[in-house]
């Protein structure tokens, strides 16, 4: 996060912290893999490290590609506008944008760190966790790909994406993200203190469904008064993939 902060200060844009998000999770997983050498089961250590790295690197690459050539993210512009310009705003950005997210990365990654020290061999629960991770990566990556293709078509300018996975949930990428982290939690669920790490996964789910993910994006869509948005929200599930409702109702 500190290198991302340095880049943000130099460029005057702090949206790069979103690219650092996936990289930071990957760095935590790789560090845990190195430190747990000789303690945890080698298969589990490799499994959780690879799963986190694949998820984190894909996410960072996608966010970088999506944001290239654009200005500051409106979320960070609004957030930083609360602090006066100059050094005070820079310190505010370091605390609220970068260090806070660094703390969240460490806390959410606790199940992964614990899993790397487990001596138990891989079993059915681990297979279930890996399967759930696969479901999550499918929803997240395919949802992002479908949305990117939709936006690339000039005929769709100003329209609401309601095709593919977006027909069943307004946020297939956020739902997929939650599945990824619940899958990683299951892989470490053999740990005697597994319940102590449950708040980590609950926090990630809360951020996606009720915190800085879904609610913030939907407030932005509502404020833009995009045609068809109200009808889309009326018939489409807000988070969990469900069949579209036939009779639109709020």
């Amino acid at each position: 996060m500190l290198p991302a902060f340095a880049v943000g200060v130099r460029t005057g844009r702090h949206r790069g912290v979103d690219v650092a998000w996936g990289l930071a999770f990957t760095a935590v997983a790789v560090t845990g893999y190195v430190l747990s050498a000789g303690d945890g089961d080698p298969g589990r250590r490799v499994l959780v490290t690879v799963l986190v790295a694949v998820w984190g690197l894909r996410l960072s690459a996608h966010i970088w590609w999506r944001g290239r050539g654009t200005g500051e993210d409106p979320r960070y512009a609004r957030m930083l506008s609360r602090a006066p310009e100059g050094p005070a705003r820079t310190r505010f950005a370091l605390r609220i944008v970068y260090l806070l997210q660094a703390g969240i990365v460490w806390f959410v990654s606790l199940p992964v760190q614990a899993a790397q020290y487990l001596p138990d061999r891989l079993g059915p629960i681990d297979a279930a966790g890996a399967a759930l991770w696969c479901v999550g990566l499918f929803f997240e990556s395919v949802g992002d790909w479908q949305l990117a293709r939709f936006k690339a078509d000039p005929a769709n300018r100003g329209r609401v994406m309601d095709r593919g996975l977006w027909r069943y949930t307004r946020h297939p990428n956020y739902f997929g993200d939650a599945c990824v982290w619940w899958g990683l939690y299951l892989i470490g669920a053999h740990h005697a203190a597994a319940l102590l790490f449950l708040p980590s996964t609950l926090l990630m789910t809360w951020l996606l469904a009720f915190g800085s993910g879904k609610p913030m994006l939907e407030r932005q869509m509502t404020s833009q008064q995009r045609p068809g948005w109200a009808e889309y929200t009326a018939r489409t599930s807000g988070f969990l993939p469900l069949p579209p409702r036939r009779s639109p109702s709020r």
Side-chain angles (χ1 to χ4, degrees):
M1 286 298 176
L2 291 179
F5 170 68
V7 172
V9 171
R10 182 174 181 178
T11 61
R13 294 181 302 167
H14 295 284
R15 68 181 307 148
V17 70
D18 292 337
V19 177
W21 177 255
L23 297 177
F25 278 105
T26 302
V28 171
V30 171
T31 301
Y33 176 82
V34 172
L35 295 179
S36 62
D39 291 319
D41 174 67
R44 179 175 286 99
R45 290 172 57 237
V46 169
L47 177 63
V48 294
T49 303
V50 169
L51 294 186
V52 173
V54 169
W55 169 82
L57 295 176
R58 188 215 71 87
L59 180 61
S60 291
H62 171 73
I63 293 176
W64 172 82
W65 177 83
R66 185 184 64 188
R68 69 196 192 286
T70 59
E72 180 63 286
D73 190 305
R75 296 173 301 160
Y76 297 124
R78 287 193 299 269
M79 187 183 303
L80 296 176
S81 66
R82 289 181 271 166
E85 294 187 8
R89 180 169 294 184
T90 301
R91 292 192 296 270
F92 182 82
L94 175 62
R95 294 194 311 271
I96 303 303
V97 177
Y98 295 90
L99 295 183
L100 177 61
Q101 293 203 44
I104 292 174
V105 167
W106 173 81
F107 184 74
V108 170
S109 294
L110 284 176
V112 171
Q113 298 174 56
Q116 290 172 328
Y117 285 90
L118 275 174
D120 312 54
R121 291 191 176 183
L122 295 172
I125 296 179
D126 305 293
L132 184 56
W133 180 93
C134 289
V135 170
L137 189 69
F138 171 82
F139 269 87
E140 189 171 355
S141 57
V142 172
D144 285 339
W145 174 73
Q146 290 175 339
L147 182 60
R149 288 193 62 191
F150 180 83
K151 288 184 174 181
D153 187 347
N156 294 324
R157 185 178 300 276
R159 297 177 59 189
V160 174
M161 170 56 161
D162 60 355
R163 308 170 188 175
L165 296 178
W166 300 82
R167 183 171 181 263
Y168 304 99
T169 167
R170 302 199 295 270
H171 302 281
N173 46 354
Y174 291 155
F175 169 75
D177 214 344
C179 288
V180 162
W181 283 95
W182 280 106
L184 291 168
Y185 173 78
L186 285 178
I187 295 175
H190 303 275
H191 203 286
L195 289 179
L196 295 178
F197 306 123
L198 184 60
S200 299
T201 309
L202 289 173
L203 173 62
M204 176 63 102
T205 307
W206 182 87
L207 288 172
L208 294 166
F210 305 106
S212 59
K214 171 182 176 290
M216 189 174 294
L217 180 57
E218 295 202 344
R219 283 196 297 268
Q220 180 180 340
M221 294 289 290
T222 301
S223 67
Q224 293 174 352
Q225 298 182 340
R226 185 168 298 186
W229 172 249
E231 294 79 7
Y232 177 63
T233 60
R235 67 175 180 268
T236 309
S237 172
F239 196 75
L240 298 175
L242 297 171
R245 291 183 284 271
R246 294 184 178 180
S247 300
S249 60
R250 288 185 179 275

